[in-house]
Amino acid sequence: MRPRPRLIHLADYGSEYTGSFIPMLIELGEGPRADGFEVTFAFSAEAEHRPWVESLRAAGFECLFLPVDRRAHGKLLPLLLQEASGRFRTPLSSA
């Protein structure tokens, strides 16, 4: 059986308010999930304890939280790959 493709949405978002962004993410993730993708949202570490995270999880989405040095955004992808490598069934390099 072939593993499902994974869509990872990165967002440097840590506001304590849901606003319109979190409902938009849920809607954004529904289409790919219906098409067979596993959808993960990755946020900066400051978002980990925000109340809206539970909304994403309740909707069935995985959330990752990564430390971000805002002076070096180029580090985000390596951090994501490091964080994700142990969590996904298929290595990202072969997905």
Side-chain angles (χ1 to χ4, degrees):
M1 185 169 140
R2 229 177 139 196
R4 292 172 45 193
R6 180 172 296 272
L7 173 70
I8 302 172
H9 181 94
L10 305 173
D12 187 8
Y13 183 76
S15 173
E16 58 186 272
Y17 303 103
T18 301
S20 61
F21 185 64
I22 301 306
M24 184 272 306
L25 285 181
I26 292 171
E27 289 297 318
L28 180 73
E30 292 295 339
R33 187 165 57 183
D35 289 337
F37 284 78
E38 292 187 43
V39 178
T40 298
F41 296 109
F43 299 97
S44 48
E46 67 189 355
E48 188 167 6
H49 301 290
R50 300 297 191 213
W52 48 260
V53 171
E54 187 52 40
S55 299
L56 291 167
R57 289 183 173 146
F61 296 107
E62 179 180 20
C63 295
L64 298 176
F65 303 95
L66 306 167
V68 175
D69 178 349
R70 282 173 176 63
R71 295 166 295 168
H73 278 288
K75 294 180 180 179
L76 184 59
L77 185 58
L79 285 171
L80 175 63
L81 294 173
Q82 179 182 353
E83 172 70 19
S85 64
R87 301 177 127 211
F88 302 148
R89 292 186 304 265
T90 305
L92 291 177
S93 60
S94 66

